[in-house]
Amino acid sequence: MIKKISILFSFLMLLLQGCSALDSRVIAVDSYSTMQAYGGTYYLSTNTPGLQLQQQSFEIILQNMLQTKGYTRTFDQKSALYNIVYNYKVKGPYTTLESYPAPINPWWNGPYGGVYNGFYGDMWMNSISASTYFVKRLELSAFSKNNNAVWQVVGSLKSDNSDPRSSFPYLVSALSNYVNVNSNKVVYLNVEENSQTGQYTATPSIW
């Protein structure tokens, strides 16, 4: 008799652990605030290496979002009320394995094996498929002039590609409503782009 083979394997990381249904538009967000802060001037910088080609376009997206929160960018670090630092990382590739039932050839069981009243009964074994994904993480942190932490918001998502440009606007949209907010938990947001206006909208996601 052919033995049924069962293999169970799951691998997820950081905020995405246990959320295999996440795709490139579902974003996990966590945030905290140490004080009630108000908008003002800020100096923007990054500690992420290798962003030279995308840095300007990324910072314009962040600048536009922060402007809606009452923050005005300045290029004079000494005069800025806040130092805002963003870090953007793409990690992977990672691989997940999923098992699913697949019919097998009953003749593998030998001549006439499995025959019941002249017919073969259903015979199944578990097959395995593998998929590759990347994890993209955007962290936005605000500090006072004295280098005290003011607020931080972090967003992570799973993506089927390693291109940092394809997910950055989605991450910024998800982070927008959690600037200077205590989320008190990881929240999941579905971000959609309006193909006509180019605007991104984040709404609560049920996964």
Side-chain angles (χ1 to χ4, degrees):
M1 178 182 296
I2 295 181
K3 296 181 180 179
K4 294 183 178 179
I5 302 173
S6 177
I7 298 178
L8 178 61
F9 176 86
S10 63
F11 178 79
L12 293 174
M13 66 175 299
L14 300 175
L15 301 177
L16 302 179
Q17 184 175 5
C19 305
S20 59
L22 292 182
D23 59 27
S24 61
R25 286 182 171 81
V26 178
I27 299 171
V29 176
D30 195 10
S31 65
Y32 75 89
S33 175
T34 64
M35 64 184 74
Q36 183 62 45
Y38 300 94
T41 57
Y42 69 93
Y43 181 82
L44 185 64
S45 63
T46 182
N47 295 325
T48 304
L51 289 182
Q52 288 83 359
L53 295 177
Q54 299 89 16
Q55 185 167 344
Q56 183 176 2
S57 59
F58 285 173
E59 292 185 357
I60 289 175
I61 295 173
L62 286 170
Q63 177 179 320
N64 291 338
M65 182 274 285
L66 288 168
Q67 187 173 0
T68 67
K69 304 299 177 182
Y71 292 89
T72 302
R73 186 179 184 183
T74 178
F75 292 90
D76 181 3
Q77 187 173 9
K78 292 182 179 180
S79 66
L81 291 177
Y82 304 100
N83 288 318
I84 296 182
V85 181
Y86 71 97
N87 291 302
Y88 185 37
K89 297 181 179 180
V90 180
K91 295 185 177 182
Y94 302 103
T95 302
T96 57
L97 301 179
E98 296 183 359
S99 63
Y100 59 94
I104 63 173
N105 187 339
W107 285 101
W108 290 354
N109 201 27
Y112 306 108
V115 174
Y116 179 75
N117 289 338
F119 295 96
Y120 286 97
D122 291 337
M123 300 183 67
W124 299 80
M125 69 177 295
N126 281 356
S127 186
I128 299 172
S129 66
S131 60
T132 299
Y133 68 94
F134 297 84
V135 175
K136 301 177 182 180
R137 183 179 188 270
L138 176 61
E139 176 186 291
L140 193 62
S141 308
F143 301 90
S144 68
K145 280 189 173 183
N146 297 326
N147 204 32
N148 294 320
V150 179
W151 52 258
Q152 183 181 75
V153 57
V154 180
S156 301
L157 60 78
K158 283 176 63 177
S159 176
D160 60 2
N161 65 76
S162 61
D163 183 358
R165 296 168 298 179
S166 63
S167 301
F168 194 84
Y170 292 92
L171 286 162
V172 173
S173 177
L175 268 56
S176 176
N177 290 334
Y178 291 89
V179 168
N180 196 26
V181 171
N182 279 311
S183 63
N184 297 316
K185 62 179 182 179
V186 177
V187 295
Y188 295 89
L189 302 172
N190 184 62
V191 179
E192 295 181 345
E193 179 190 10
N194 186 314
S195 59
Q196 296 181 343
T197 64
Q199 298 297 313
Y200 294 84
T201 304
T203 56
S205 174
I206 300 176
W207 51 269

